[in-house]
Amino acid sequence: MNTFYSNGKLLLTGEYVVLDGAEALAIPTKFGQSLTLKPFDKPEIIWGSFTHEGTCWFEASISVPKLRLINATFNSEKEGSAEFIAETLQNILREAQKLNPNFLNSHQGYIIETHLTFPKNWGLGTSSTLINNIANWAEINPFTLLKNTFSGSGYDIACAKHTTPIVYTIESEEPTVKETSFFPDFSDELYFVYLNQKQNSREGITRYKQYKETAIPLISEINTLTHDFLHAKSSQKLNQIIKDHEQIISSIIKIPPVKERLFADYFGEVKSLGAWGGDFVLATGNKDTISYFNNKGYNIVIPFDQMILNR
């Protein structure tokens, strides 16, 4: 039996413009996803995906080595269909096989289980952790597998592979990852708040591409803010950095900052993370932060040190 594990992710700075070479600060999370495989005596992959509570939400059977879909079931009343998810999985495996022709090229079957350690609607990297786990299994480059399947900047793959915060950049279409440290003295004033809805990153990227011409001249400013964010000495300083960063991204994608839209009366600052409009935001605050967001109907408020992997 083999087991692979990948970390979840949060993008603290550089959202959207990371696609065009901006420096982005990202953190791997304490939450992630595992993939376990056992040999099976039939030429099939028997796949089961499990929630953090242990419920199987997706099942599929795929033949090997042709990787043909046999059947699939999907336990959800809201998202997609079993066929769509199965075809996505099938495509990932086929792309992995193209990158490594020795991968799944025999009649050896497998029973495979994936297990999330976070609710899959949190947006912490259900897809990126899967891509990285499959790439590790297939012994291929996960960034290439991502590019050939979901696309995206790849910062989420970098977080899946690293155990410390990172500064992520794309240079000449290649990812550059620098490990760093980000656990400020005021970390007890930082919280991650779930906005009760999952945001589709690909939709956000599509929107950004409509306005990317206006983003290029602003990359140097974002780089400076990423550096300042990383080295902020107080929450007051970080508040100003967040405000400046939010205003720049807002001016590019033509969407008001999240604090302006939802939390105008909040006493701290609020910053969108990744695609704007859903998933988690970062809030600066104090002991009253949790009750403020709870009273607004946002019941998932996670202190910084309970989210970030390693200090």
Side-chain angles (χ1 to χ4, degrees):
M1 183 175 71
N2 289 329
T3 298
F4 304 93
Y5 181 83
S6 295
N7 306 312
K9 49 72 182 180
L10 284 171
L11 186 64
L12 301 189
T13 70
E15 62 270 24
Y16 298 114
V17 285
V18 66
L19 291 161
D20 291 304
E23 294 181 342
L25 175 61
I27 60 169
T29 68
K30 290 181 177 178
F31 305 97
Q33 181 169 209
S34 64
L35 183 153
T36 300
L37 58 110
K38 304 175 185 177
F40 184 50
D41 59 5
K42 293 183 179 180
E44 294 179 23
I45 292 173
I46 308 298
W47 188 285
S49 295
F50 292 80
T51 68
H52 69 296
E53 295 176 329
T55 301
C56 185
W57 63 272
F58 170 72
E59 294 178 283
S61 297
I62 299 174
S63 69
V64 289
K66 296 296 185 179
L67 298 180
R68 291 173 177 153
L69 181 62
I70 300 171
N71 57 61
T73 57
F74 180 41
N75 179 22
S76 175
E77 297 177 354
K78 297 180 181 180
E79 304 175 49
S81 68
E83 290 74 19
F84 174 78
I85 295 174
E87 288 168 3
T88 301
L89 173 61
Q90 181 185 35
N91 181 52
I92 295 170
L93 294 174
R94 283 179 169 172
E95 290 297 329
Q97 196 176 60
K98 290 177 185 177
L99 294 170
N100 178 4
N102 293 321
F103 178 60
L104 297 176
N105 70 342
S106 71
H107 292 279
Q108 173 63 60
Y110 295 96
I111 297 174
I112 296 176
E113 291 186 2
T114 64
H115 289 264
L116 291 165
T117 66
F118 60 91
K120 61 189 181 73
N121 61 342
W122 275 14
L124 293 183
T126 304
S127 298
S128 57
T129 52
L130 176 64
I131 289 285
N132 194 61
N133 284 336
I134 290 177
N136 287 339
W137 172 26
E139 299 180 337
I140 57 176
N141 187 321
F143 293 102
T144 305
L145 183 59
L146 177 73
K147 182 178 180 180
N148 294 352
T149 52
F150 292 108
S151 70
S153 71
Y155 88 88
D156 46 3
I157 295 295
C159 285
K161 294 166 60 65
H162 288 78
T163 58
T164 68
I166 60 170
V167 175
Y168 182 85
T169 319
I170 299 174
E171 299 177 353
S172 301
E173 299 187 0
E174 292 296 323
T176 298
V177 182
K178 297 178 182 177
E179 292 189 345
T180 187
S181 175
F182 182 69
F183 201 87
D185 293 338
F186 54 90
S187 62
D188 60 341
E189 301 174 54
L190 304 178
Y191 300 83
F192 295 102
V193 183
Y194 183 62
L195 294 184
N196 298 335
Q197 60 183 10
K198 190 172 187 326
Q199 184 67 14
N200 187 312
S201 297
R202 279 169 283 181
E203 291 178 1
I205 290 171
T206 298
R207 179 181 179 86
Y208 164 73
K209 287 181 177 178
Q210 300 175 30
Y211 305 108
K212 64 176 292 183
E213 292 78 10
T214 63
I216 304 302
L218 300 172
I219 285 178
S220 61
E221 292 183 47
I222 292 294
N223 290 348
T224 298
L225 289 172
T226 291
H227 181 272
D228 292 345
F229 194 106
L230 188 57
H231 298 286
K233 299 301 183 183
S234 68
S235 59
Q236 292 75 21
K237 176 61 176 176
L238 190 66
N239 283 343
Q240 187 59 52
I241 296 166
I242 288 173
K243 289 172 67 175
D244 292 345
H245 195 293
E246 288 282 281
Q247 287 300 324
I248 290 175
I249 301 301
S250 174
S251 72
I252 295 170
I253 63 174
K254 315 303 181 187
I255 296 176
V258 65
K259 182 178 179 181
E260 182 179 322
R261 289 185 292 113
L262 299 177
F263 310 114
D265 61 342
Y266 181 57
F267 50 83
E269 285 302 325
V270 185
K271 187 187 180 303
S272 291
L273 307 176
W276 282 29
D279 300 336
F280 281 90
V281 295
L282 174 68
T284 64
N286 56 32
K287 58 182 177 61
D288 296 321
T289 292
I290 294 177
S291 60
Y292 169 87
F293 285 103
N294 287 171
N295 290 336
K296 291 277 189 178
Y298 301 94
N299 296 318
I300 300 172
V301 183
I302 302 176
F304 182 85
D305 63 353
Q306 293 180 25
M307 177 71 82
I308 185 171
L309 179 67
N310 291 340
R311 298 174 53 163

